[in-house]
Every structure is written in C-alpha cells, then in structure tokens.
C-alpha cells in the first residue's frame, strides 16, 4: 500500500495533538491532583493554531470545553493569564477590550489596546467583538467614554487607514504645521484637528509628522500633546504616536510602569505579556533592557511567584 506523504503528515500531527490532549487530561485532571506546571508549560509553547486545535480535539474526545476545565482547575492570576492566552489574537483583544472598557472601566487600558493595534487588526477584532458579545464595539465605546476621548476612539476604530510603508514628506510637513496651529500656537486647543490627523494618517506617516514637528519647532509632538491635552484623550494621542514611532519601546514603558515601585499591576502585566508574545516580544525585551538596565524576564521574576511566574516566563522565552 502506498500512503501519500500528505496523509502521513496529517496522521502524525493529529496523533501528536491527540497525545497532547490525552496528556493534558491525564496530567491535570486525574486523581493525582493538578500537575499545573506541566499543563501550563505545554500550553505556553503552543501557537494560536495549535491552541485552537487542542481545544477542538479536547471537545471531540471528552465532550467538554477545555477552557471550562482549565477554569475549574486554575485560579487567580494564573487562571486569568492562561485563559486569556488560549484565545486567538483577535479574540483576545476583543476579550481584553470588553473587560477593561465595560467591566473594569479601566479606560487607560482599553485605550492602550485600541490605539496600539493596526487598522486591519481593529477591523477584524470588531467582527469578533460583535460575534462574541452581540454588541458593536462602537456602542460600548459610546456608552463608557466621553468627550474628546470618545470622539477619538470612535474615529480611530471606524476610519480605514492605509497600512503601507510609504510616507509623503510634504504631507508630514503640512500636518506638523496644522497641528502646531491647532495646539501650541493658539490659545486653547483645536481638538478636532488632532483627532482628524491621528485617526486618518497611516502609522509611518504619523511618525514622519512627529519627526517634522521636532525639526520645525525644536521639541517633539508628544511634548506638545502633553501640554495641550489631558486625561484619557491625551493618553490616546500619545499611544498612537508612540506606537507609530516605536511600539516595542511603548510596551516596555507600560510594563515598567506596571512593575515599578511598591506592588505590581498584574492585570497590565498579564495583558501586555499575553497579547504581545506572538507579535513583538523580542523588540519589547530589547527596549526594556536598553532603557531599564535589567532584563524583562528578571523584572517579571522579581514581581511574581509560583506557577503564575512560571507561565509568564515561559511566554517571554529566553532571558536575554
Ligand atoms: C520613526 O521615525 C524615526 C525617525 O525618523 C525612525 O528612527 C524610526 O525607525 C521610525 N519608526 C518606525 C516604526 O518606522
């Protein structure tokens, strides 16, 4: 009998997954008590496709939801982190936005997530948001935020933006001048102009405007934003421009703030590590060690403990 190579592959990969869900069941959920460490170590090293596959296999084999099982076996911060990790990236963003915006009313966190995502990610997560929660993202933003912050977020999630790398120097210069006129040059701020430019320009274009602003006026656009605006509106504009400039540096800063001083902001630690691991964690780690003279792994190690620590460190990968 000749077995086609493709078929062998399929059989092999399915048996790997099969034994994985079997071992999950055996390790975690038999009478020996919960060998949590083994389970989270397996899960931390699976990518989004594999995690979806494991959940599917688990459902087929045990007629049960793996997430429910994990939820009943784990608790506290470890549970929060593992359950969030199990989603695919868009589903995770939708979960995080819903939780921060509606449940916790942590508007700074919701703003961080929304304004740091690329336009195509936002379009996709809006669809997932609706299918998960039965409400349109804009409705929740409308309900939970106010003023210029609300206007900025609504425009930001609903305006399609170009995602290519090209920039126009001419437009960057023009926008820098328009922003100067709308802000520092006048008495009071013309917020509408800020919202328009920040929600319509591509990231590379906004980054070019940021550089132009510096050349023309001797200080950064970020400084102007801090001077001219405040609160969550200020944070939305700053997040947008920081992510246009250097997203790794932006998230390193968010993590640092979550760990600095007394106590730890675990929900921020979980949110950033779990949602960035599959995207740009190596850049975040590089920026972190450059700026704070300590590796991100060491910082997380000293702020956390037990299996929660082990899970976050598995996601972070090598200590470098
Ligand atoms: C933003 O512009 C600066 C200065 O021109 C440049 O060094 C940096 O690489 C740009 N950032 C991105 C993400 O392209």
């Amino acid at each position: 009998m000749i077995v086609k190579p493709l078929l062998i592959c399929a059989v092999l990969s399915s048996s790997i997954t099969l034994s994985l869900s079997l071992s999950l069941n055996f390790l975690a959920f038999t009478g020996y008590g919960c060998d949590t460490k083994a389970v989270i170590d397996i899960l931390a090293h699976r990518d989004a496709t594999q995690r979806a596959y494991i959940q599917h296999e688990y459902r087929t084999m045990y007629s049960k939801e793996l997430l429910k099982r994990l939820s009943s076996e784990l608790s506290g911060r470890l549970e929060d982190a593992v359950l969030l990790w199990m989603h695919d990236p868009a589903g995770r963003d939708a979960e995080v936005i819903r939780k921060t915006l509606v449940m916790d009313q942590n508007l700074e966190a919701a703003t961080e997530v929304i304004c740091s995502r690329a336009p195509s990610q936002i379009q996709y997560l809006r669809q997932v948001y609706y299918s998960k929660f039965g409400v349109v993202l804009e409705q929740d933003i409308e309900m939970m935020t106010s003023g210029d912050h609300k206007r900025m977020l609504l425009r930001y999630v609903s305006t399609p933006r170009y995602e290519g790398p090209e920039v126009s120097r001419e437009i960057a210069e023009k926008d820098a001048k328009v922003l100067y006129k709308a802000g520092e040059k006048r008495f009071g701020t013309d917020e509408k102009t800020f919202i328009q430019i920040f929600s319509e320009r591509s990231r590379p274009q906004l980054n070019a405007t940021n550089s132009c602003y510096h050349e023309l006026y001797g200080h950064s656009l970020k400084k102007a934003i801090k001077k001219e605006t405040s609160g969550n509106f200020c944070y939305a504009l700053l997040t947008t421009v920081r992510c246009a400039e250097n997203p790794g540096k932006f998230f390193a800063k968010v993590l640092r703030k979550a760990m600095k001083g007394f106590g730890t902001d675990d929900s921020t630690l979980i949110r950033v590590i779990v949602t960035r691991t599959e995207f740009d964690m190596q850049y975040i780690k590089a920026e972190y060690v450059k700026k704070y003279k300590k590796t991100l792994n060491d910082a997380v190690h000293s702020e956390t403990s037990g299996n929660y620590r082990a899970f976050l460190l598995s996601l972070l990968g090598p200590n470098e």
Side-chain angles (χ1 to χ4, degrees), residues 110-143:
T111 303
E112 164 210 302
V113 176
I114 292 171
C115 294
S116 65
R117 300 313 191 240
S120 53
Q121 289 176 310
I122 290 180
Q123 293 323 308
Y124 185 42
L125 85 83
R126 278 168 78 210
Q127 293 170 20
V128 176
Y129 198 93
Y130 183 73
S131 67
K132 269 179 187 282
F133 309 118
V135 275
V136 179
L137 174 58
E138 282 91 325
Q139 265 175 283
D140 279 345
I141 293 174
E142 181 79 43
M143 199 171 66

PDB file of all heavy atoms in Angstrom, residues 110-143:
ATOM      1  N   ALA A 110      -8.021  50.144  28.117  1.00  0.00           N
ATOM      2  CA  ALA A 110      -8.781  49.967  26.870  1.00  0.00           C
ATOM      3  C   ALA A 110      -8.183  50.842  25.769  1.00  0.00           C
ATOM      4  O   ALA A 110      -8.037  50.413  24.619  1.00  0.00           O
ATOM      5  CB  ALA A 110     -10.245  50.314  27.090  1.00  0.00           C
ATOM      6  N   THR A 111      -7.797  52.051  26.131  1.00  0.00           N
ATOM      7  CA  THR A 111      -7.192  52.982  25.175  1.00  0.00           C
ATOM      8  C   THR A 111      -5.863  52.439  24.668  1.00  0.00           C
ATOM      9  O   THR A 111      -5.565  52.510  23.471  1.00  0.00           O
ATOM     10  CB  THR A 111      -6.966  54.358  25.862  1.00  0.00           C
ATOM     11  OG1 THR A 111      -8.213  54.818  26.367  1.00  0.00           O
ATOM     12  CG2 THR A 111      -6.402  55.372  24.885  1.00  0.00           C
ATOM     13  N   GLU A 112      -5.081  51.895  25.592  1.00  0.00           N
ATOM     14  CA  GLU A 112      -3.787  51.312  25.207  1.00  0.00           C
ATOM     15  C   GLU A 112      -3.979  50.236  24.143  1.00  0.00           C
ATOM     16  O   GLU A 112      -3.275  50.209  23.133  1.00  0.00           O
ATOM     17  CB  GLU A 112      -3.115  50.728  26.454  1.00  0.00           C
ATOM     18  CG  GLU A 112      -1.956  49.770  26.184  1.00  0.00           C
ATOM     19  CD  GLU A 112      -1.846  48.725  27.290  1.00  0.00           C
ATOM     20  OE1 GLU A 112      -1.678  49.114  28.456  1.00  0.00           O
ATOM     21  OE2 GLU A 112      -1.965  47.518  26.978  1.00  0.00           O
ATOM     22  N   VAL A 113      -4.945  49.357  24.360  1.00  0.00           N
ATOM     23  CA  VAL A 113      -5.148  48.259  23.406  1.00  0.00           C
ATOM     24  C   VAL A 113      -5.652  48.799  22.065  1.00  0.00           C
ATOM     25  O   VAL A 113      -5.100  48.489  21.010  1.00  0.00           O
ATOM     26  CB  VAL A 113      -6.131  47.205  23.969  1.00  0.00           C
ATOM     27  CG1 VAL A 113      -6.420  46.126  22.933  1.00  0.00           C
ATOM     28  CG2 VAL A 113      -5.551  46.583  25.235  1.00  0.00           C
ATOM     29  N   ILE A 114      -6.668  49.632  22.108  1.00  0.00           N
ATOM     30  CA  ILE A 114      -7.261  50.117  20.855  1.00  0.00           C
ATOM     31  C   ILE A 114      -6.245  50.919  20.036  1.00  0.00           C
ATOM     32  O   ILE A 114      -6.040  50.661  18.850  1.00  0.00           O
ATOM     33  CB  ILE A 114      -8.522  50.969  21.145  1.00  0.00           C
ATOM     34  CG1 ILE A 114      -9.630  50.069  21.703  1.00  0.00           C
ATOM     35  CG2 ILE A 114      -9.000  51.682  19.878  1.00  0.00           C
ATOM     36  CD1 ILE A 114     -10.840  50.823  22.233  1.00  0.00           C
ATOM     37  N   CYS A 115      -5.584  51.873  20.684  1.00  0.00           N
ATOM     38  CA  CYS A 115      -4.711  52.777  19.918  1.00  0.00           C
ATOM     39  C   CYS A 115      -3.354  52.158  19.545  1.00  0.00           C
ATOM     40  O   CYS A 115      -2.593  52.753  18.806  1.00  0.00           O
ATOM     41  CB  CYS A 115      -4.506  54.085  20.669  1.00  0.00           C
ATOM     42  SG  CYS A 115      -6.027  55.034  20.812  1.00  0.00           S
ATOM     43  N   SER A 116      -3.069  50.959  20.044  1.00  0.00           N
ATOM     44  CA  SER A 116      -1.806  50.321  19.665  1.00  0.00           C
ATOM     45  C   SER A 116      -1.992  49.286  18.559  1.00  0.00           C
ATOM     46  O   SER A 116      -1.023  48.751  18.051  1.00  0.00           O
ATOM     47  CB  SER A 116      -1.165  49.654  20.888  1.00  0.00           C
ATOM     48  OG  SER A 116      -1.983  48.602  21.354  1.00  0.00           O
ATOM     49  N   ARG A 117      -3.225  49.014  18.185  1.00  0.00           N
ATOM     50  CA  ARG A 117      -3.446  47.990  17.153  1.00  0.00           C
ATOM     51  C   ARG A 117      -3.506  48.606  15.757  1.00  0.00           C
ATOM     52  O   ARG A 117      -3.994  49.711  15.575  1.00  0.00           O
ATOM     53  CB  ARG A 117      -4.752  47.218  17.410  1.00  0.00           C
ATOM     54  CG  ARG A 117      -4.836  46.478  18.750  1.00  0.00           C
ATOM     55  CD  ARG A 117      -3.603  45.655  19.096  1.00  0.00           C
ATOM     56  NE  ARG A 117      -3.826  44.772  20.239  1.00  0.00           N
ATOM     57  CZ  ARG A 117      -3.136  44.805  21.378  1.00  0.00           C
ATOM     58  NH1 ARG A 117      -2.168  45.677  21.567  1.00  0.00           N
ATOM     59  NH2 ARG A 117      -3.407  43.939  22.339  1.00  0.00           N
ATOM     60  N   ALA A 118      -3.036  47.819  14.781  1.00  0.00           N
ATOM     61  CA  ALA A 118      -3.053  48.269  13.389  1.00  0.00           C
ATOM     62  C   ALA A 118      -4.493  48.263  12.865  1.00  0.00           C
ATOM     63  O   ALA A 118      -5.329  47.524  13.375  1.00  0.00           O
ATOM     64  CB  ALA A 118      -2.177  47.349  12.551  1.00  0.00           C
ATOM     65  N   PRO A 119      -4.764  49.093  11.847  1.00  0.00           N
ATOM     66  CA  PRO A 119      -6.125  49.199  11.309  1.00  0.00           C
ATOM     67  C   PRO A 119      -6.742  47.848  10.921  1.00  0.00           C
ATOM     68  O   PRO A 119      -7.911  47.586  11.223  1.00  0.00           O
ATOM     69  CB  PRO A 119      -5.954  50.072  10.069  1.00  0.00           C
ATOM     70  CG  PRO A 119      -4.713  50.830  10.305  1.00  0.00           C
ATOM     71  CD  PRO A 119      -3.841  50.007  11.181  1.00  0.00           C
ATOM     72  N   SER A 120      -5.964  46.977  10.293  1.00  0.00           N
ATOM     73  CA  SER A 120      -6.534  45.693   9.876  1.00  0.00           C
ATOM     74  C   SER A 120      -6.868  44.823  11.089  1.00  0.00           C
ATOM     75  O   SER A 120      -7.863  44.096  11.097  1.00  0.00           O
ATOM     76  CB  SER A 120      -5.570  44.958   8.949  1.00  0.00           C
ATOM     77  OG  SER A 120      -4.312  44.856   9.555  1.00  0.00           O
ATOM     78  N   GLN A 121      -6.052  44.920  12.135  1.00  0.00           N
ATOM     79  CA  GLN A 121      -6.355  44.181  13.372  1.00  0.00           C
ATOM     80  C   GLN A 121      -7.658  44.696  13.983  1.00  0.00           C
ATOM     81  O   GLN A 121      -8.468  43.925  14.477  1.00  0.00           O
ATOM     82  CB  GLN A 121      -5.228  44.345  14.393  1.00  0.00           C
ATOM     83  CG  GLN A 121      -3.945  43.613  14.032  1.00  0.00           C
ATOM     84  CD  GLN A 121      -2.833  43.904  15.043  1.00  0.00           C
ATOM     85  OE1 GLN A 121      -2.560  45.060  15.365  1.00  0.00           O
ATOM     86  NE2 GLN A 121      -2.212  42.858  15.538  1.00  0.00           N
ATOM     87  N   ILE A 122      -7.823  46.003  13.944  1.00  0.00           N
ATOM     88  CA  ILE A 122      -9.030  46.588  14.524  1.00  0.00           C
ATOM     89  C   ILE A 122     -10.275  46.149  13.750  1.00  0.00           C
ATOM     90  O   ILE A 122     -11.284  45.782  14.339  1.00  0.00           O
ATOM     91  CB  ILE A 122      -8.924  48.127  14.578  1.00  0.00           C
ATOM     92  CG1 ILE A 122      -7.889  48.501  15.639  1.00  0.00           C
ATOM     93  CG2 ILE A 122     -10.277  48.759  14.907  1.00  0.00           C
ATOM     94  CD1 ILE A 122      -7.669  49.968  15.810  1.00  0.00           C
ATOM     95  N   GLN A 123     -10.172  46.137  12.432  1.00  0.00           N
ATOM     96  CA  GLN A 123     -11.327  45.718  11.629  1.00  0.00           C
ATOM     97  C   GLN A 123     -11.730  44.292  11.989  1.00  0.00           C
ATOM     98  O   GLN A 123     -12.900  43.987  12.153  1.00  0.00           O
ATOM     99  CB  GLN A 123     -11.022  45.822  10.125  1.00  0.00           C
ATOM    100  CG  GLN A 123     -10.841  47.249   9.606  1.00  0.00           C
ATOM    101  CD  GLN A 123     -11.783  48.254  10.255  1.00  0.00           C
ATOM    102  OE1 GLN A 123     -12.995  48.060  10.292  1.00  0.00           O
ATOM    103  NE2 GLN A 123     -11.226  49.341  10.809  1.00  0.00           N
ATOM    104  N   TYR A 124     -10.744  43.426  12.119  1.00  0.00           N
ATOM    105  CA  TYR A 124     -11.029  42.032  12.430  1.00  0.00           C
ATOM    106  C   TYR A 124     -11.565  41.863  13.855  1.00  0.00           C
ATOM    107  O   TYR A 124     -12.536  41.145  14.093  1.00  0.00           O
ATOM    108  CB  TYR A 124      -9.772  41.186  12.188  1.00  0.00           C
ATOM    109  CG  TYR A 124      -9.981  39.714  12.365  1.00  0.00           C
ATOM    110  CD1 TYR A 124     -11.125  39.087  11.881  1.00  0.00           C
ATOM    111  CD2 TYR A 124      -9.042  38.938  13.036  1.00  0.00           C
ATOM    112  CE1 TYR A 124     -11.329  37.728  12.051  1.00  0.00           C
ATOM    113  CE2 TYR A 124      -9.246  37.576  13.208  1.00  0.00           C
ATOM    114  CZ  TYR A 124     -10.390  36.979  12.721  1.00  0.00           C
ATOM    115  OH  TYR A 124     -10.587  35.637  12.910  1.00  0.00           O
ATOM    116  N   LEU A 125     -10.954  42.568  14.790  1.00  0.00           N
ATOM    117  CA  LEU A 125     -11.407  42.387  16.179  1.00  0.00           C
ATOM    118  C   LEU A 125     -12.806  42.958  16.393  1.00  0.00           C
ATOM    119  O   LEU A 125     -13.543  42.481  17.251  1.00  0.00           O
ATOM    120  CB  LEU A 125     -10.382  42.950  17.184  1.00  0.00           C
ATOM    121  CG  LEU A 125     -10.351  44.410  17.594  1.00  0.00           C
ATOM    122  CD1 LEU A 125     -11.358  44.728  18.691  1.00  0.00           C
ATOM    123  CD2 LEU A 125      -8.965  44.748  18.104  1.00  0.00           C
ATOM    124  N   ARG A 126     -13.197  43.949  15.578  1.00  0.00           N
ATOM    125  CA  ARG A 126     -14.569  44.461  15.659  1.00  0.00           C
ATOM    126  C   ARG A 126     -15.579  43.371  15.299  1.00  0.00           C
ATOM    127  O   ARG A 126     -16.621  43.250  15.931  1.00  0.00           O
ATOM    128  CB  ARG A 126     -14.759  45.644  14.725  1.00  0.00           C
ATOM    129  CG  ARG A 126     -14.262  46.951  15.307  1.00  0.00           C
ATOM    130  CD  ARG A 126     -14.212  48.012  14.243  1.00  0.00           C
ATOM    131  NE  ARG A 126     -15.507  48.570  13.925  1.00  0.00           N
ATOM    132  CZ  ARG A 126     -15.835  49.046  12.716  1.00  0.00           C
ATOM    133  NH1 ARG A 126     -14.977  49.000  11.730  1.00  0.00           N
ATOM    134  NH2 ARG A 126     -17.018  49.563  12.513  1.00  0.00           N
ATOM    135  N   GLN A 127     -15.249  42.582  14.265  1.00  0.00           N
ATOM    136  CA  GLN A 127     -16.148  41.482  13.880  1.00  0.00           C
ATOM    137  C   GLN A 127     -16.229  40.449  14.993  1.00  0.00           C
ATOM    138  O   GLN A 127     -17.308  39.977  15.353  1.00  0.00           O
ATOM    139  CB  GLN A 127     -15.626  40.788  12.621  1.00  0.00           C
ATOM    140  CG  GLN A 127     -15.663  41.653  11.387  1.00  0.00           C
ATOM    141  CD  GLN A 127     -14.913  41.004  10.216  1.00  0.00           C
ATOM    142  OE1 GLN A 127     -14.689  39.795  10.217  1.00  0.00           O
ATOM    143  NE2 GLN A 127     -14.524  41.805   9.238  1.00  0.00           N
ATOM    144  N   VAL A 128     -15.050  40.101  15.540  1.00  0.00           N
ATOM    145  CA  VAL A 128     -15.017  39.111  16.612  1.00  0.00           C
ATOM    146  C   VAL A 128     -15.773  39.638  17.841  1.00  0.00           C
ATOM    147  O   VAL A 128     -16.507  38.899  18.498  1.00  0.00           O
ATOM    148  CB  VAL A 128     -13.552  38.774  16.982  1.00  0.00           C
ATOM    149  CG1 VAL A 128     -13.492  37.817  18.160  1.00  0.00           C
ATOM    150  CG2 VAL A 128     -12.823  38.182  15.786  1.00  0.00           C
ATOM    151  N   TYR A 129     -15.593  40.911  18.120  1.00  0.00           N
ATOM    152  CA  TYR A 129     -16.260  41.555  19.254  1.00  0.00           C
ATOM    153  C   TYR A 129     -17.769  41.391  19.142  1.00  0.00           C
ATOM    154  O   TYR A 129     -18.448  40.993  20.078  1.00  0.00           O
ATOM    155  CB  TYR A 129     -15.889  43.041  19.271  1.00  0.00           C
ATOM    156  CG  TYR A 129     -16.130  43.757  20.580  1.00  0.00           C
ATOM    157  CD1 TYR A 129     -15.118  43.860  21.527  1.00  0.00           C
ATOM    158  CD2 TYR A 129     -17.360  44.352  20.877  1.00  0.00           C
ATOM    159  CE1 TYR A 129     -15.317  44.528  22.721  1.00  0.00           C
ATOM    160  CE2 TYR A 129     -17.566  45.023  22.071  1.00  0.00           C
ATOM    161  CZ  TYR A 129     -16.539  45.112  22.994  1.00  0.00           C
ATOM    162  OH  TYR A 129     -16.732  45.768  24.180  1.00  0.00           O
ATOM    163  N   TYR A 130     -18.265  41.675  17.944  1.00  0.00           N
ATOM    164  CA  TYR A 130     -19.711  41.564  17.741  1.00  0.00           C
ATOM    165  C   TYR A 130     -20.183  40.118  17.879  1.00  0.00           C
ATOM    166  O   TYR A 130     -21.205  39.847  18.516  1.00  0.00           O
ATOM    167  CB  TYR A 130     -20.106  42.146  16.379  1.00  0.00           C
ATOM    168  CG  TYR A 130     -21.602  42.114  16.172  1.00  0.00           C
ATOM    169  CD1 TYR A 130     -22.430  43.002  16.861  1.00  0.00           C
ATOM    170  CD2 TYR A 130     -22.193  41.171  15.335  1.00  0.00           C
ATOM    171  CE1 TYR A 130     -23.802  42.959  16.720  1.00  0.00           C
ATOM    172  CE2 TYR A 130     -23.577  41.119  15.184  1.00  0.00           C
ATOM    173  CZ  TYR A 130     -24.368  42.017  15.882  1.00  0.00           C
ATOM    174  OH  TYR A 130     -25.735  41.965  15.750  1.00  0.00           O
ATOM    175  N   SER A 131     -19.427  39.190  17.321  1.00  0.00           N
ATOM    176  CA  SER A 131     -19.899  37.803  17.386  1.00  0.00           C
ATOM    177  C   SER A 131     -19.789  37.222  18.790  1.00  0.00           C
ATOM    178  O   SER A 131     -20.565  36.371  19.191  1.00  0.00           O
ATOM    179  CB  SER A 131     -19.195  36.926  16.347  1.00  0.00           C
ATOM    180  OG  SER A 131     -17.848  36.801  16.678  1.00  0.00           O
ATOM    181  N   LYS A 132     -18.834  37.721  19.594  1.00  0.00           N
ATOM    182  CA  LYS A 132     -18.711  37.247  20.974  1.00  0.00           C
ATOM    183  C   LYS A 132     -19.754  37.857  21.905  1.00  0.00           C
ATOM    184  O   LYS A 132     -20.317  37.184  22.752  1.00  0.00           O
ATOM    185  CB  LYS A 132     -17.339  37.616  21.545  1.00  0.00           C
ATOM    186  CG  LYS A 132     -16.256  36.579  21.367  1.00  0.00           C
ATOM    187  CD  LYS A 132     -14.963  37.123  21.959  1.00  0.00           C
ATOM    188  CE  LYS A 132     -13.805  36.224  21.669  1.00  0.00           C
ATOM    189  NZ  LYS A 132     -13.741  35.034  22.529  1.00  0.00           N
ATOM    190  N   PHE A 133     -19.930  39.183  21.779  1.00  0.00           N
ATOM    191  CA  PHE A 133     -20.715  39.879  22.790  1.00  0.00           C
ATOM    192  C   PHE A 133     -22.067  40.402  22.303  1.00  0.00           C
ATOM    193  O   PHE A 133     -22.833  40.953  23.085  1.00  0.00           O
ATOM    194  CB  PHE A 133     -19.891  41.032  23.391  1.00  0.00           C
ATOM    195  CG  PHE A 133     -18.522  40.600  23.848  1.00  0.00           C
ATOM    196  CD1 PHE A 133     -17.377  41.129  23.272  1.00  0.00           C
ATOM    197  CD2 PHE A 133     -18.387  39.628  24.838  1.00  0.00           C
ATOM    198  CE1 PHE A 133     -16.108  40.717  23.678  1.00  0.00           C
ATOM    199  CE2 PHE A 133     -17.130  39.210  25.253  1.00  0.00           C
ATOM    200  CZ  PHE A 133     -15.993  39.747  24.673  1.00  0.00           C
ATOM    201  N   GLY A 134     -22.312  40.283  21.003  1.00  0.00           N
ATOM    202  CA  GLY A 134     -23.590  40.737  20.464  1.00  0.00           C
ATOM    203  C   GLY A 134     -23.785  42.244  20.496  1.00  0.00           C
ATOM    204  O   GLY A 134     -24.909  42.728  20.381  1.00  0.00           O
ATOM    205  N   VAL A 135     -22.709  42.980  20.714  1.00  0.00           N
ATOM    206  CA  VAL A 135     -22.776  44.444  20.602  1.00  0.00           C
ATOM    207  C   VAL A 135     -21.645  44.915  19.695  1.00  0.00           C
ATOM    208  O   VAL A 135     -20.584  44.291  19.614  1.00  0.00           O
ATOM    209  CB  VAL A 135     -22.590  45.199  21.944  1.00  0.00           C
ATOM    210  CG1 VAL A 135     -23.863  45.320  22.710  1.00  0.00           C
ATOM    211  CG2 VAL A 135     -21.492  44.585  22.769  1.00  0.00           C
ATOM    212  N   VAL A 136     -21.915  46.017  19.050  1.00  0.00           N
ATOM    213  CA  VAL A 136     -20.890  46.624  18.213  1.00  0.00           C
ATOM    214  C   VAL A 136     -19.918  47.358  19.129  1.00  0.00           C
ATOM    215  O   VAL A 136     -20.333  47.993  20.094  1.00  0.00           O
ATOM    216  CB  VAL A 136     -21.553  47.605  17.214  1.00  0.00           C
ATOM    217  CG1 VAL A 136     -20.516  48.273  16.334  1.00  0.00           C
ATOM    218  CG2 VAL A 136     -22.588  46.877  16.371  1.00  0.00           C
ATOM    219  N   LEU A 137     -18.619  47.233  18.854  1.00  0.00           N
ATOM    220  CA  LEU A 137     -17.594  47.880  19.682  1.00  0.00           C
ATOM    221  C   LEU A 137     -17.886  49.368  19.897  1.00  0.00           C
ATOM    222  O   LEU A 137     -17.753  49.885  21.009  1.00  0.00           O
ATOM    223  CB  LEU A 137     -16.218  47.681  19.024  1.00  0.00           C
ATOM    224  CG  LEU A 137     -15.027  48.399  19.651  1.00  0.00           C
ATOM    225  CD1 LEU A 137     -14.827  48.008  21.102  1.00  0.00           C
ATOM    226  CD2 LEU A 137     -13.754  48.129  18.842  1.00  0.00           C
ATOM    227  N   GLU A 138     -18.304  50.041  18.811  1.00  0.00           N
ATOM    228  CA  GLU A 138     -18.606  51.474  18.920  1.00  0.00           C
ATOM    229  C   GLU A 138     -19.687  51.765  19.974  1.00  0.00           C
ATOM    230  O   GLU A 138     -19.650  52.792  20.630  1.00  0.00           O
ATOM    231  CB  GLU A 138     -19.081  52.034  17.575  1.00  0.00           C
ATOM    232  CG  GLU A 138     -17.965  52.290  16.597  1.00  0.00           C
ATOM    233  CD  GLU A 138     -17.695  51.076  15.704  1.00  0.00           C
ATOM    234  OE1 GLU A 138     -17.822  49.920  16.184  1.00  0.00           O
ATOM    235  OE2 GLU A 138     -17.357  51.294  14.534  1.00  0.00           O
ATOM    236  N   GLN A 139     -20.645  50.842  20.110  1.00  0.00           N
ATOM    237  CA  GLN A 139     -21.703  51.041  21.110  1.00  0.00           C
ATOM    238  C   GLN A 139     -21.107  51.072  22.509  1.00  0.00           C
ATOM    239  O   GLN A 139     -21.495  51.899  23.333  1.00  0.00           O
ATOM    240  CB  GLN A 139     -22.685  49.871  21.056  1.00  0.00           C
ATOM    241  CG  GLN A 139     -23.907  50.095  20.205  1.00  0.00           C
ATOM    242  CD  GLN A 139     -24.714  48.809  20.141  1.00  0.00           C
ATOM    243  OE1 GLN A 139     -24.350  47.882  19.421  1.00  0.00           O
ATOM    244  NE2 GLN A 139     -25.791  48.737  20.922  1.00  0.00           N
ATOM    245  N   ASP A 140     -20.179  50.142  22.791  1.00  0.00           N
ATOM    246  CA  ASP A 140     -19.552  50.118  24.117  1.00  0.00           C
ATOM    247  C   ASP A 140     -18.681  51.351  24.334  1.00  0.00           C
ATOM    248  O   ASP A 140     -18.659  51.907  25.441  1.00  0.00           O
ATOM    249  CB  ASP A 140     -18.720  48.835  24.289  1.00  0.00           C
ATOM    250  CG  ASP A 140     -19.602  47.648  24.674  1.00  0.00           C
ATOM    251  OD1 ASP A 140     -20.766  47.881  25.069  1.00  0.00           O
ATOM    252  OD2 ASP A 140     -19.127  46.505  24.580  1.00  0.00           O
ATOM    253  N   ILE A 141     -17.974  51.763  23.297  1.00  0.00           N
ATOM    254  CA  ILE A 141     -17.159  52.970  23.427  1.00  0.00           C
ATOM    255  C   ILE A 141     -18.062  54.168  23.711  1.00  0.00           C
ATOM    256  O   ILE A 141     -17.803  54.968  24.610  1.00  0.00           O
ATOM    257  CB  ILE A 141     -16.330  53.221  22.144  1.00  0.00           C
ATOM    258  CG1 ILE A 141     -15.270  52.128  21.960  1.00  0.00           C
ATOM    259  CG2 ILE A 141     -15.676  54.605  22.179  1.00  0.00           C
ATOM    260  CD1 ILE A 141     -14.495  52.217  20.657  1.00  0.00           C
ATOM    261  N   GLU A 142     -19.139  54.232  22.961  1.00  0.00           N
ATOM    262  CA  GLU A 142     -20.123  55.312  23.121  1.00  0.00           C
ATOM    263  C   GLU A 142     -20.630  55.382  24.561  1.00  0.00           C
ATOM    264  O   GLU A 142     -20.754  56.440  25.164  1.00  0.00           O
ATOM    265  CB  GLU A 142     -21.277  55.043  22.145  1.00  0.00           C
ATOM    266  CG  GLU A 142     -22.400  56.047  22.117  1.00  0.00           C
ATOM    267  CD  GLU A 142     -22.042  57.289  21.320  1.00  0.00           C
ATOM    268  OE1 GLU A 142     -21.447  57.159  20.231  1.00  0.00           O
ATOM    269  OE2 GLU A 142     -22.355  58.393  21.812  1.00  0.00           O
ATOM    270  N   MET A 143     -20.911  54.205  25.123  1.00  0.00           N
ATOM    271  CA  MET A 143     -21.507  54.133  26.442  1.00  0.00           C
ATOM    272  C   MET A 143     -20.503  54.419  27.564  1.00  0.00           C
ATOM    273  O   MET A 143     -20.863  55.008  28.578  1.00  0.00           O
ATOM    274  CB  MET A 143     -22.083  52.721  26.627  1.00  0.00           C
ATOM    275  CG  MET A 143     -23.113  52.606  27.722  1.00  0.00           C
ATOM    276  SD  MET A 143     -23.892  50.981  27.637  1.00  0.00           S
ATOM    277  CE  MET A 143     -22.518  49.906  28.047  1.00  0.00           C
TER     278      MET A 143
END
